[in-house]
Amino acid sequence: MSPANSAWSNVMAIAKRELAGYFASPVAYVFIVIFLLLTGFFTFNVANFFEASEASLRGFFYWHPWLYLFLVPAIGMRLWSEERRQGTIELLLTLPVTPWQAILGKFLASWAFLAIALALTFPIWITVNYLGDPDNGAIIAGYVGSLLLAGAYLAITCMTSALTRNQVIAFILAVVVCFLMMMAGYSAVTDFIARWLSPGAVDTVASFSTITHFDPFSQKGLIELRDVVFFVSVMAFALFTTGVIIRAHRGG
Amino acid sequence: MRRQETSTGLHGHEPLELRPATGAHPTRIERSAGRREAGASAPAPQRNAHFGCRLVEGAGGHSKARLRYHYESEDMIKVENLRKTFGPKVAVNNISFNVERGEVLGFLGPNGAGKSTTMRMITGFYPPDAGTIRVGNHDVVEEPIQAKRLIGYLPENAPSYSDMTVRGFLGFAAEVRGLRGHAKRNAVNGVIEMCFLDAVVNQSVDTLSKGYKHRTCLAQSLLHDPEVLILDEPTDGLDPNQKFEVRSLIKRMSEKKAIVFSTHILEEVESVCTRAIIIDRGVIVANGTPEDLKARSNLAGAVTLSVQGANSQAITDKLASLPQVEQTQAISVKDGVIVVRAFPRASEASALALGVAELARAQGWRVNEMRVEEGRLDEVFRRITMPDTVKRAAAGVNA
Ligand SMILES: Nc1ncnc2c1ncn2[C@@H]1O[C@H](COP(=O)(O)OP(=O)(O)O)[C@@H](O)[C@H]1O
Ligand SMILES: [Mg+2]
């Protein structure tokens, strides 16, 4: 087995274990049901899917940043804090795997889980196609953006989860960080910055906002490179920081 | 800050030889040359057939590679000047030792002595602050993955993924060890059998009793039939039968591996180890075979005598008059049986028993029992690792 090959098979072995761990407990099914109920509720009640009389999933995607704000940290909070609490981190990191393989494997497993939950919203897609004639390209862009957004929140949760052996603390920290990143794009915040700080800072702050980068996917149906780069960078940065935190803990 | 042995011990014997604070190497006890030769000229060890993994990393069965491997690297673990601090606390201070294939090294020391920290550094979990560790031919810091492939590790408290079944957990560990398909299944079945897990293979780990949980984690460490086995308190929390099984398992495996295990149970050291290291406050304070360590006991070489009679004073006086006797001690008088002990002068230790026997015959004592003491490990352990304050107090009382 070549080194690259065995590195990847380590990542997959770890991801497989983690994903199986989700489905071994009822929590996973409860999560999926809650996720579907909430997306349904937001889409049909809050976003007035039927009254909007347009065949698109804009209303559906519009609420994803808010839904994910709580649901993604709930899925990711245990990733490292549980390893630390149970002491299995010592087992994992003394097996012949690198910390990066472990971090990536765990992240990919949770991301795959979120992707499964997201994929299960397909009845909504079918519904709009049944009722009207939507731009399916825009809907695909929306799904891609939604998955990237979930990945970014998840990577941040990985990072907070590595900080503590307490899942609840990991959850709260992740929600706070994700919330701040979201708010940076809302007009209430940008107005405040424009008025009290410098107007020039608005763009800088807003460029760190998940909303700013999610809107083109969800509302305009566009997959723009800079938005993709943004989400991928957030994931890369947060996972890198996770590695630094884990290393620091081992150093004592 | 290192203490000095001020008193000459309880009975006026030679004080234990203590190591200087710098942790200079205690004398290595060399294994007999004969045994080494036998090991070298024996055919390359045949791995258990159903463990489908290699002896030499990447050497896939080239006999040349095997032989070279076998001749050159008898020292499987080499630890040099290892140091680790946690904030202001020095957990491990300049520790050095080697472990050869075929050796079972017992790691002793009071709680907090630094045993687990040392093991975590050897297994690559904690990076050392200073010093080097080589496992096989790999530096643990420079080539962690290669080193970790050679190691099987049972961490303290035997952690395992509680939401998995025993078989699932072992399967996961096997996959990360690079075993797939047949090799994986055989390895998992092999350790299930070795660690007596048949009854619980499909049970989820969090429903297991402590003994089974422990053995599940132990099984994980044996999957790849490792060259080096590091076991942190492998018998902790097991019942006496399970303890016995784990000890026999360690003994069975010891021939082809280098094994380090930590324990609080001294009888375990005597029954399993070929060598023992005592650590106290991060420093090695003794390193030798269990027999060597026992010989350092104050008790070693003393003769204990049970005599029928009532006047213990008369008997101890007579014993004390022997030229070989340094000191005597009346231990008990009960039901007309006196138990006394005579401690030898350092130079006369071997002649003591004969002297006592002749005296008893000459005096016409009715001897129930006479025993030459081997020395007791627990006594040595206590004396070496006793905190300074306790030691000083003890010295004061006995002065
Ligand atoms: N992760 C850690 N952070 C801080 N201190 C630690 C850590 N691990 C061990 N120690 C300290 O180092 C010392 C040695 O601990 P340890 O190696 O676990 O001892 P032992 O296994 O011999 O009982 C103890 O005083 C312990 O409190
Ligand atoms: Mg310990």
Side-chain angles (χ1 to χ4, degrees):
Chain A
M1 215 163 15
S2 77
N5 219 334
S6 88
W8 187 245
S9 73
N10 283 347
V11 171
M12 290 322 283
I14 289 164
K16 206 175 92 185
R17 193 205 74 74
E18 200 71 41
L19 197 58
Y22 280 120
F23 288 104
S25 80
V27 176
Y29 302 99
V30 171
F31 172 88
I32 288 177
V33 168
I34 289 177
F35 176 76
L36 295 179
L37 286 176
L38 284 178
T39 45
F41 173 77
F42 277 114
T43 310
F44 295 113
N45 295 46
V46 183
N48 286 327
F49 180 75
F50 292 113
E51 281 96 275
S53 70
E54 67 169 23
S56 83
L57 286 183
R58 284 225 289 262
F60 165 75
F61 288 122
Y62 182 80
W63 294 101
H64 279 198
W66 289 99
L67 266 174
Y68 287 157
L69 181 57
F70 295 99
L71 293 181
V72 172
I75 281 304
M77 64 187 182
R78 62 191 272 275
L79 281 178
W80 288 99
S81 50
E82 193 63 8
E83 293 270 351
R84 292 187 54 194
R85 195 179 63 77
Q86 292 203 13
T88 44
I89 188 169
E90 188 171 348
L91 206 61
L92 184 60
L93 297 181
T94 53
L95 286 168
V97 298
T98 66
W100 301 117
Q101 290 163 6
I103 289 167
L104 199 59
K106 281 170 161 288
F107 171 78
L108 289 178
S110 306
W111 205 17
F113 179 79
L114 290 168
I116 291 169
L118 185 61
L120 288 176
T121 62
F122 72 93
I124 294 184
W125 188 356
I126 292 174
T127 308
V128 284
N129 272 289
Y130 178 74
L131 294 176
D133 185 20
D135 177 355
N136 280 321
I139 290 175
I140 288 172
Y143 272 109
V144 169
S146 181
L147 198 57
L148 287 172
L149 177 70
Y153 283 6
L154 182 63
I156 288 166
T157 311
C158 270
M159 184 176 77
T160 62
S161 165
L163 277 173
T164 167
R165 58 179 59 211
N166 184 327
Q167 292 191 29
V168 177
I169 293 174
F171 175 82
I172 292 169
L173 285 176
V175 171
V176 168
V177 174
C178 294
F179 182 71
L180 291 178
M181 288 189 71
M182 260 175 72
M183 292 317 286
Y186 275 96
S187 55
V189 176
T190 49
D191 287 353
F192 176 86
I193 291 167
R195 193 167 316 148
W196 298 105
L197 299 169
S198 84
V202 171
D203 283 348
T204 316
V205 172
S207 73
F208 282 102
S209 162
T210 47
I211 298 291
T212 310
H213 292 281
F214 181 59
D215 269 357
F217 291 103
S218 72
Q219 303 306 307
K220 303 196 191 93
L222 296 174
I223 301 182
E224 293 211 57
L225 183 64
R226 66 188 186 113
D227 299 321
V228 174
V229 167
F230 169 78
F231 284 116
V232 172
S233 312
V234 170
M235 288 185 245
F237 174 79
L239 293 180
F240 176 78
T241 311
T242 307
V244 172
I245 293 167
I246 287 172
R247 196 175 167 77
H249 274 304
R250 287 202 290 157
Chain B
M1 70 153 259
R2 216 61 271 223
R3 55 240 133 92
Q4 276 217 296
E5 184 86 5
T6 47
S7 132
T8 49
L10 286 168
H11 310 292
H13 268 243
E14 286 293 312
L16 265 175
E17 183 200 346
L18 287 182
R19 311 293 166 192
T22 53
H25 293 239
T27 345
R28 283 284 318 279
I29 311 297
E30 288 297 337
R31 290 169 54 221
S32 77
R35 197 164 155 198
R36 190 191 286 263
E37 223 96 295
S41 56
Q46 209 55 57
R47 302 276 101 176
N48 214 337
H50 61 242
F51 288 105
C53 51
R54 71 275 122 174
L55 166 65
V56 185
E57 225 208 297
H62 289 287
S63 58
K64 201 174 159 196
R66 284 186 180 207
L67 280 176
R68 199 195 60 216
Y69 188 85
H70 209 66
Y71 279 122
E72 281 178 9
S73 53
E74 276 297 285
D75 271 329
M76 291 302 296
I77 305 173
K78 283 188 224 176
V79 171
E80 263 169 49
N81 305 111
L82 206 55
R83 184 181 163 85
K84 180 79 186 171
T85 55
F86 296 104
K89 163 123 205 140
V90 183
V92 171
N93 193 1
N94 217 1
I95 277 184
S96 306
F97 61 88
N98 295 355
V99 189
E100 292 175 8
R101 189 193 302 278
E103 267 191 314
V104 181
L105 177 68
F107 238 44
L108 304 173
N111 281 325
K115 304 182 294 291
S116 298
T117 304
T118 305
M119 292 181 151
R120 285 175 178 149
M121 287 191 279
I122 296 173
T123 53
F125 185 61
Y126 286 161
D129 290 344
T132 56
I133 308 157
R134 294 185 75 80
V135 171
N137 286 319
H138 305 286
D139 184 298
V140 170
V141 176
E142 311 275 323
E143 300 177 292
I145 300 299
Q146 286 88 334
K148 286 171 184 177
R149 287 205 181 112
L150 299 179
I151 302 175
Y153 178 37
L154 170 68
E156 196 170 19
N157 302 325
S160 49
Y161 291 103
S162 57
D163 54 358
M164 303 181 89
T165 63
V166 171
R167 188 180 282 286
F169 171 68
L170 294 174
F172 162 68
E175 277 183 27
V176 177
R177 294 277 180 197
L179 301 171
R180 291 289 186 288
H182 262 302
K184 172 182 153 185
R185 208 164 32 247
N186 289 341
V188 170
N189 289 338
V191 296
I192 284 172
E193 195 179 315
M194 272 164 96
C195 298
F196 308 99
L197 293 169
D198 305 82
V200 296
V201 279
N202 293 318
Q203 212 167 312
S204 141
V205 171
D206 57 3
T207 63
L208 297 179
S209 67
K210 188 164 181 190
Y212 273 120
K213 231 178 239 176
H214 222 89
R215 278 183 285 162
T216 303
C217 196
L218 177 65
Q220 160 279 135
S221 73
L222 303 174
L223 275 167
H224 53 307
D225 198 14
E227 312 264 322
V228 171
L229 203 48
I230 311 280
L231 309 171
D232 201 348
E233 301 190 12
T235 58
D236 179 50
L238 302 185
D239 69 34
N241 292 336
Q242 295 167 337
K243 278 190 167 84
F244 178 82
E245 290 298 347
V246 169
R247 279 177 213 157
S248 348
L249 184 63
I250 293 176
K251 269 195 272 195
R252 269 206 306 281
M253 293 185 304
S254 64
E255 204 177 308
K256 293 170 188 168
K257 301 183 194 301
I259 302 180
V260 180
F261 80 95
S262 67
T263 181
H264 293 296
I265 305 168
L266 294 160
E267 70 197 58
E268 205 153 80
V269 176
E270 297 183 49
S271 68
V272 183
C273 294
T274 57
R275 190 153 57 92
I277 284 181
I278 303 182
I279 315 187
D280 185 26
R281 280 164 282 182
V283 180
I284 295 183
V285 290
N287 181 352
T289 63
E291 292 72 34
D292 288 331
L293 294 182
K294 275 195 293 189
R296 295 183 180 188
S297 165
N298 286 326
L299 212 54
V303 171
T304 307
L305 200 62
S306 306
V307 182
Q308 289 181 19
N311 188 353
S312 73
Q313 190 62 42
I315 291 182
T316 48
D317 285 349
K318 284 280 183 227
L319 281 171
S321 68
L322 280 174
Q324 299 94 327
V325 171
E326 168 89 29
Q327 203 181 2
T328 58
Q329 187 189 17
I331 294 177
S332 68
V333 183
K334 204 176 134 201
D335 301 334
V337 177
I338 302 164
V339 181
V340 293
R341 187 172 289 158
F343 295 91
R345 285 184 203 284
S347 54
E348 313 266 4
S350 53
L352 179 63
L354 188 60
V356 173
E358 279 170 356
L359 178 69
R361 185 147 21 98
Q363 296 291 325
W365 289 340
R366 304 176 66 189
V367 175
N368 284 354
E369 192 190 343
M370 181 174 143
R371 179 171 76 236
V372 181
E373 303 287 349
E374 280 196 293
R376 296 218 325 256
L377 216 45
D378 59 344
E379 189 240 351
V380 178
F381 178 86
R382 257 181 62 72
R383 201 146 42 90
I384 308 186
T385 60
M386 217 177 343
D388 294 350
T389 47
V390 179
K391 193 174 271 181
R392 233 174 276 126
V397 167
N398 284 282

